[in-house]
Amino acid sequence: MSVSNLITIDGPSGSGKGTVCHILAKKLKWHLLDSGALYRILAFAALKKQIPLNNADALAALALTLDVSFVSNGSGVDTLLGDQNIGDQLRTEVVGQAASEVASIEQVRAALLARQQAFLQAPGLIADGRDMGTVVFPDAPVKIFLDASAEERAQRRFNQLQDKGFNVSIAQILSEIKERDYRDRNRAVAPLRPADDAFVIDSTSLTIDEVVEQILNLTALKLKIATE
């Protein structure tokens, strides 16, 4: 299909991409690609198999053979590795840091590229990630870069993990977010940055509903479609 019904939403960890993308996909009844989940799944599997995170060949080979599926559960999406639901396990900081490391490897990104592009199917796609608008779907008609201050993102992650019962330190989370930001923005392959034609939204002081409204308004204007 053409790329006409496609919205890419890039941005750093904790900017609200995941929640916004789920809402948009539900409202528009489009498919959803959580590209970050693919890298987290790969990192999770590599840690389980004790594959060193600097072994590019082994990680790329693993990326090509992962048995991954995303299944709607009514209120969200379950992430399955084989027949195991690993959604909650993917959201730990250990897996997040490992995902950032494997995502910087060129062979890994090449192995996952076609897999991500295959998600573009009718009636449309919401693509959530860090290089959706710059590398994976450079011709997307609607590109969003969703950002927020590191402090606000750390607070959001702290609240999220506490709600799930994890004992976490907000100071440690902030440190890890800053470290990950630096690595993501300065990596040689597909660094985190807004596409030249992306619409940048700073969500630090915005509610999720306000962010969604801005994106829907922009989508209606760009794609000439009803978004209500």
Side-chain angles (χ1 to χ4, degrees), residues 31-68:
H31 299 286
L32 172 65
L33 165 59
D34 181 352
S35 66
L38 292 178
Y39 289 102
R40 285 176 178 267
I41 292 165
L42 177 59
F44 175 84
L47 292 171
K48 285 291 186 183
K49 293 177 178 291
Q50 297 185 323
I51 296 174
L53 298 181
N54 60 357
N55 188 332
D57 291 339
L59 290 169
L62 180 60
L64 291 172
T65 59
L66 284 176
D67 180 14
V68 178

Side-chain angles (χ1 to χ4, degrees), residues 147-149 152 156 202-206:
D147 208 348
S149 71
E152 174 64 19
R156 292 172 184 175
D202 186 335
S203 71
T204 302
S205 301
L206 297 176

Side-chain angles (χ1 to χ4, degrees), residues 46-217:
L47 292 171
K48 285 291 186 183
K49 293 177 178 291
Q50 297 185 323
I51 296 174
L53 298 181
N54 60 357
N55 188 332
D57 291 339
L59 290 169
L62 180 60
L64 291 172
T65 59
L66 284 176
D67 180 14
V68 178
S69 57
F70 300 102
V71 180
S72 176
N73 61 21
S75 61
V77 177
D78 289 332
T79 302
L80 303 182
L81 180 60
D83 58 0
Q84 182 184 9
N85 185 350
I86 61 171
D88 286 345
Q89 297 176 75
L90 298 180
R91 294 301 167 184
T92 66
E93 288 304 308
V94 170
V95 172
Q97 290 293 324
S100 181
E101 290 185 48
V102 301
S104 67
I105 299 172
E106 186 172 4
Q107 293 98 311
V108 168
R109 302 195 77 86
L112 289 177
L113 181 61
R115 197 165 196 168
Q116 294 174 84
Q117 291 172 334
F119 276 81
L120 180 54
Q121 300 176 17
L125 176 68
I126 311 293
D128 167 359
R130 284 173 172 73
D131 64 345
M132 296 296 98
T134 54
V135 176
V136 181
F137 299 109
D139 296 325
V142 181
K143 299 179 184 178
I144 307 296
F145 189 87
L146 188 58
D147 208 348
S149 71
E151 290 74 17
E152 174 64 19
R153 289 185 284 127
Q155 186 64 56
R156 292 172 184 175
R157 182 69 74 201
F158 176 78
N159 294 342
Q160 181 185 55
L161 292 173
Q162 274 211 321
D163 288 345
K164 291 182 179 294
F166 292 103
N167 183 20
V168 290
S169 159
I170 192 167
Q172 181 180 351
I173 292 173
L174 178 58
S175 175
E176 290 170 344
I177 279 178
K178 288 180 176 179
E179 177 185 340
R180 184 172 182 181
D181 282 354
Y182 181 83
R183 183 165 58 241
D184 288 349
R185 294 178 190 272
N186 291 280
R187 66 192 181 205
V189 181
L192 172 65
R193 65 173 181 83
D196 293 339
D197 53 348
F199 183 70
V200 179
I201 299 175
D202 186 335
S203 71
T204 302
S205 301
L206 297 176
T207 66
I208 290 295
D209 288 343
E210 288 171 334
V211 172
V212 169
E213 183 179 8
Q214 285 193 36
I215 296 173
L216 287 175
N217 289 341

